[in-house]
Structure formats: C-alpha cells, structure tokens
Amino acid sequence: MTVQVVAEWLPALAADGLRRGPAALADGVRMVSSAAPPRVVDTAVVQVLRAQVDRLWTAGWLPVDLYEVTRRQGSALAALVAVDAMADAAAQYPVATTHPRWLAQLDEVGAERWWDPAVPYPAQWTTRHDADRDALLAAALELIGLTLRLPALQTIVPPPGQATSPPRQHAAGTDREPSDPRARSARPAADPTDARPPADSAGTGGPAAGGASGSRRPHSSPEKVLGRVRALLAKAESTPYPEEAEALSAKAQELMSRYSIEQALADALTPERRTTVAAARRIWLDAPYLGPKTLLVAEVGSANHCRTVSSEKLGFVTVLGTELDLDVVEVLSTSLLVQAARAMLASGSHPSRLGTSRIRSFRHSFLLSYATRIGERLRDTAAQTAAAAGTDLVPVFADRSLAVDTLFDSLFTTTVRRSFSAGNAAGWGAGRSAADRAVLTTERRAVRRSPGR
C-alpha cells in the first residue's frame, strides 16, 4: 500500500472515529498498521496533518487557536500532536513570509522542530511524548477528525507565506513587536511597584517633549509599560492582603490609562499623523460560565474603544481595536477574570431555603453582575480621564472608532446581539459588591507595608 493510498484512507478513519468514539479510533489504528509498513503510515500521517493544518491556517485559524480548541475538545495527546503538526507546517515557509504574531504564537505553544528530519516525526513520537505508538497514532487520527469539523474563522493575521513585512501598528508609524509575553521575556523587568512616570517623560504625567518637529510623544515603549502592568496585576492577584491588592490594581490602571492618553494626545498634536490602523485578537476563555466571561471581556473592550464578538461555542472572544487598546483589554480582562473567580469562590455556594445547592445559579449571576458593574465603572473612569485631557482627543477617538467599525464590517457580515439574564439575587448582589471593591481609578495610592517589611 502506498503513502498516497494511506493518506486518502486516514481522513475516513478519523471521521469514523469521531462518530463512534475511542474504540473506533483504536480499530482504525490497527487496520492501517496491519495494511502498510510503519514508515509508509508515518509519512502519510505527516502528509495529512500538514494538509489539515495548512487548510485551517488559510481558513483563519492561528497557532494558539488550533492549540486551544484541541486542548478543549481533544485529548492531551492530541494537543501534543497538534503542536508538532504546526511546527512541521510552519517549517515549510520562509520566516520572512511569516507574520511576527504568527511566529510569536508558535513560540507560545512550543511548536518547534525537535525531530531528526531524516525520519518522519511520528516515528520519533514514542521517545518524545512517553506514550506507545498506537496511542499516538490514535491521537493523530483524533486530531485529523477534529480539524475536519472546525469552521472557517475570520482572517485577522495573514497566514504563513503571505506576510511580506512587519505591519505598522500605530498611527504615528512606529513598528511594534508582537504582544506575546514570550517575545518580551528576555527584556529586563522594571520595578512593578513604581507607578511614577518614566524617567524620559514629563514629571506631570503628560506627554514627553518631542523632537524638532515640536510634537510630543511618550518615550516609553508599549512593551515596557505593559510589562510593568502585568507585574503589578500578578502581584495584585497573588497577595492575601486586600489593601495591597487594591493599591497594586490602582497603580496598574494608572499606568495603562496614562500611557493610552499620552499616546492619543501625541497623535492629536502630530501634524503628519497617519490614518489609525485597527487590528483584531482572539481571547480564549475557559469553561464553565463562558457567557458571563464573554460579557466581562466585552465590557472591558467597550470602555477602551474596542468592539467584541463572542464565539461562545468555540470558547473565544474576538476583540477589535488599535494595538494599544487591544493590549489594555487583554491585560485587564485576564486580571479581572482571575480576580472575579477568586471573589466568586470566596463567596461560597449560598444554598436555597430548602437546603438544595444553587452553586451554578449563584455563580452565573455573580459573574454577570460583576461584569456589568465593572463595565459601568470602567466607562465612568474613561470618560473622566478623556474629559480631563480636553477636546484634543475628540478627532483621535473619532479616527479610532471609524477604523474599528471599518474592520468590523469587513470581518463580520452577520452578527446577533445576545442578552443575559440572572436568576439568583444573592449572586447578583455579591457580584456587584465584588466589582465595587475592584479599584479602577487612576489616582495614585501608596502600598501599605507593615513595619520592617
């Protein structure tokens, strides 16, 4: 039996296994293994996996998307196979024709060619992944079956082979590095508790003095600011002291708000200001309570000049905005989700008067209320900050809104608005109280430390 014949057979076996379950996958592995030599089978597996990954990439799926959907809908071994398949598929394209964000995501999921290229990599799986050959071939069939049923997504980053140069991310025309944390891991970390303006910006927190053109632009890079924000939020999430968490969250919000306003003011004062460019990102969320979690991301996005579209069945939210606003939404949403989960678990189960458990109802209502109240507070804070900056921001925000709306219309031809309902009054009240305790103002506060700490 030839490689081509086995390659044509594998999708049918995978589809059958998808319908009938793990036992059918095991039967498929036995059938193909008895019909062809191992090298023929391995070569065919590589061929089919590469074709499926390429097809999904052309259909809008990014590396993190494929990894996350496999992790949620498939086995742990299937996720490992997906990472190897993406490393193999990406190696077919020159780095110069691969978008920086694509490269960052490949690095994020750990997709690298670890195998000896003289031998098909499935033949080297057992040593690498510490599992027997049949189990790994079954995982490969499982992944093939999963890819066959995945829908096309909106193309938010050009697939490998189609990127020609790094994109211009900001209206001022400065190039940005990928926002993936691994791309920044080699940079020295700033002191996360230092919320002072960077040394090369004005001491009042306003825009820094510019060059000969007279324009003013914050000199700190977005990566440096966001690195400091992430460090602050990580400490806020981990500290057992509420007052310290409050102060750290306030400093993080202060840094994000100040930098965003400085960037916008600099854009407004730059005569050669270029047209605002909008982009899109996907934020993957973990079950359960995906509905309330998508609402929280939507509320954070709305307060930061972004639009969102929920793909709840798959488990992600698409956020559209400028790169700087997307950074803010991603960082703040991630932190608020962690803080909301911690507050929700601390609130207990609150059984009904009959003694029956209402955990799911309570937590669903808690998260809906938390998201709603967070949105109210974020929008109030954003409006106050923008008002303090004066009318110079009006044309900048208008340009941003137009760019986001234009991108939205090009990507999503049909969307449906969704409403949520909460059926547990105790959960709603607890969620609102937790959101009120979240500090989202931009005022400066000192971290309270015990003597000698």
Side-chain angles (χ1 to χ4, degrees):
M1 188 173 289
T2 66
V3 170
Q4 188 59 38
V5 171
V6 175
E8 292 174 355
W9 191 14
L10 289 176
L13 293 174
D16 184 58
L18 191 65
R19 288 192 303 270
R20 299 198 292 121
L25 287 175
D27 289 342
V29 169
R30 284 192 291 271
M31 290 170 60
V32 74
S33 296
S34 63
R39 189 177 183 92
V40 170
V41 174
D42 293 340
T43 304
V45 167
V46 171
Q47 181 176 315
V48 174
L49 286 176
R50 186 183 297 169
Q52 290 301 316
V53 170
D54 268 334
R55 181 183 64 81
L56 288 176
W57 283 355
T58 304
W61 288 78
L62 299 176
V64 166
D65 300 330
L66 182 52
Y67 174 77
E68 290 292 346
V69 77
T70 306
R71 185 174 68 85
R72 286 161 169 75
Q73 298 186 18
S75 64
L77 276 181
L80 293 175
V81 171
V83 171
D84 289 343
M86 287 191 284
D88 172 70
Q92 312 309 308
Y93 300 95
V95 172
T97 66
T98 305
H99 194 281
R101 200 197 303 182
W102 214 284
L103 296 173
Q105 288 203 8
L106 288 169
D107 180 65
E108 182 179 352
V109 302
E112 59 178 353
R113 294 184 72 185
W114 50 264
W115 56 87
D116 179 358
V119 181
Y121 66 86
Q124 304 169 62
W125 271 340
T126 55
T127 303
R128 176 74 174 187
H129 299 311
D130 193 26
D132 64 70
R133 176 177 172 81
D134 285 353
L136 286 160
L137 288 178
L141 285 179
E142 179 188 0
L143 176 60
I144 293 169
L146 173 63
T147 60
L148 290 172
R149 70 182 182 188
L150 292 177
L153 301 179
Q154 290 72 26
T155 300
I156 61 176
V157 177
Q162 297 185 22
T164 56
S165 61
R168 295 286 183 177
Q169 304 284 25
H170 278 296
T174 56
D175 288 328
R176 291 274 314 281
E177 292 178 344
S179 62
D180 181 77
R182 289 174 179 246
R184 292 185 298 272
S185 59
R187 295 180 177 272
D191 178 5
T193 61
D194 181 8
R196 295 171 298 174
D200 53 1
S201 65
T204 60
S213 64
S215 65
R216 299 187 298 172
R217 176 163 300 283
H219 289 184
S220 289
S221 68
E223 288 75 24
K224 181 178 180 180
V225 174
L226 286 167
R228 189 178 299 170
V229 166
R230 285 188 174 92
L232 284 165
L233 292 175
K235 293 184 72 174
E237 293 159 16
S238 62
T239 179
Y241 305 105
E243 289 183 346
E244 185 175 22
E246 177 180 323
L248 291 166
S249 298
K251 288 183 178 181
Q253 181 63 31
E254 178 183 0
L255 283 173
M256 289 188 291
S257 297
R258 183 198 306 135
Y259 189 85
S260 180
I261 292 298
E262 287 178 357
Q263 185 74 53
L265 283 170
D267 288 347
L269 298 173
T270 303
E272 66 277 12
R273 178 166 57 91
R274 301 185 182 184
T275 303
T276 302
V277 177
R281 292 185 198 171
R282 298 187 183 106
I283 297 178
W284 284 83
L285 305 170
D286 288 322
Y289 312 112
L290 283 175
K293 289 177 181 178
T294 62
L295 178 61
L296 178 57
V297 177
E299 293 286 5
V300 176
S302 174
N304 287 280
H305 317 288
C306 294
R307 295 184 68 174
T308 57
V309 177
S310 169
S311 299
E312 190 176 329
K313 289 184 178 180
L314 288 171
F316 65 82
V317 178
T318 305
V319 186
L320 299 89
T322 66
E323 288 288 347
L324 179 59
D325 290 337
L326 292 176
D327 285 339
V328 172
V329 171
E330 188 172 19
V331 171
L332 189 54
S333 294
T334 300
S335 179
L336 287 171
L337 286 167
V338 172
Q339 294 181 53
R342 185 171 61 184
M344 177 185 70
L345 294 174
S347 297
S349 58
H350 293 264
S352 68
R353 286 177 295 179
L354 299 177
T356 58
S357 175
R358 301 191 66 191
I359 293 177
R360 185 169 185 83
S361 171
F362 177 88
R363 291 179 176 177
H364 179 84
S365 297
F366 180 103
L367 291 174
L368 282 177
S369 177
Y370 185 94
T372 302
R373 180 56 181 155
I374 286 293
E376 293 170 359
R377 298 192 64 197
L378 282 173
R379 281 188 290 273
D380 287 345
T381 300
Q384 293 170 13
T385 306
T391 58
D392 287 337
L393 288 178
V394 173
V396 176
F397 288 149
D399 286 349
R400 289 186 183 183
S401 179
L402 177 60
V404 171
D405 290 345
T406 300
L407 179 61
F408 183 95
D409 292 340
S410 70
L411 292 178
F412 300 97
T413 56
T414 303
T415 57
V416 178
R417 288 189 176 274
R418 180 183 175 184
S419 59
F420 296 92
S421 60
N424 188 302
W428 183 268
R432 190 170 184 87
S433 296
D436 280 332
R437 290 193 298 270
V439 177
L440 301 170
T441 62
T442 57
E443 63 183 338
R444 191 180 304 261
R445 302 189 182 189
V447 177
R448 293 188 179 181
R449 299 183 182 274
S450 58
R453 187 176 171 193

